[in-house]
Amino acid sequence: MSSTDWRDVDRAAMRRQADAGDLTAMYNLGVIAYYERDAETAMRWFKDAASRGDIESMYNLGVVLSGLGRKAEAERWHLAAANAGHPGAMFNLALFYNLQGRPDQARHWREKSEAAGYRPDDDNNTGLPDDVRSSFMDKGLPR
């Protein structure tokens, strides 16, 4: 998304772009749905983009699924994103495996996330484009 506030986006135009296969439009519609607390719609858009290779959508789909308690599905998408090089997904897998009592796998993914430059305390670990994250933060919405 550009610097336009996400609430002012022409969603009909964005849906047409997404329906035509535009991965950025699919991702952006997923982000909007997520922040409107519509998990089903967010998952649909993220899954559409993720199944076509969009790494950020893979990661965000894993986040939404994990939040809904659908851990096995979340793991699948986090693995896909991590194997494609997403440091946040690598870190989430480290946490996931640590909670499962799988220390070797947890260590593997933690080390990979660190090698990729991921720092869990970094404020910019939302997975959102900077302008969208800024818009949400300016409006006092969750990150």
Side-chain angles (χ1 to χ4, degrees):
M1 274 187 247
S2 69
S3 61
T4 303
D5 186 282
W6 63 276
R7 289 170 283 210
D8 297 330
V9 170
D10 181 351
R11 294 185 198 196
M14 194 177 287
R15 276 190 208 96
R16 285 191 298 276
Q17 292 170 331
D19 290 340
D22 184 318
L23 297 179
T24 300
M26 291 176 198
Y27 172 82
N28 287 339
L29 287 168
V31 169
I32 290 168
Y34 178 79
Y35 279 96
E36 290 179 338
R37 296 177 174 21
D38 183 351
E40 291 302 318
T41 300
M43 285 190 304
R44 180 172 52 88
W45 286 117
F46 288 145
K47 189 171 187 176
D48 284 352
S51 66
R52 294 175 179 160
D54 186 74
I55 298 167
E56 285 297 326
S57 292
M58 292 174 194
Y59 171 73
N60 284 345
L61 181 56
V63 168
V64 174
L65 288 164
S66 183
L68 294 172
R70 295 163 60 176
K71 304 297 186 196
E73 291 173 272
E75 178 185 9
R76 175 179 165 238
W77 288 106
H78 278 306
L79 271 170
N83 286 324
H86 194 287
M90 295 172 191
F91 186 78
N92 284 359
L93 284 170
L95 294 175
F96 180 76
Y97 292 133
N98 188 54
L99 291 171
Q100 286 187 336
R102 297 159 67 181
D104 292 339
Q105 287 176 295
R107 185 177 315 104
H108 167 79
W109 287 110
R110 182 182 43 81
E111 288 172 357
K112 285 189 72 101
S113 75
E114 290 171 356
Y118 188 84
R119 301 292 175 259
D121 295 329
D122 185 351
D123 283 342
N124 192 20
N125 285 332
T126 61
L128 298 172
D130 288 340
D131 59 324
V132 176
R133 184 174 47 81
S134 295
S135 176
F136 292 145
M137 290 171 60
D138 292 344
K139 309 275 184 283
L141 298 172
R143 301 194 253 163

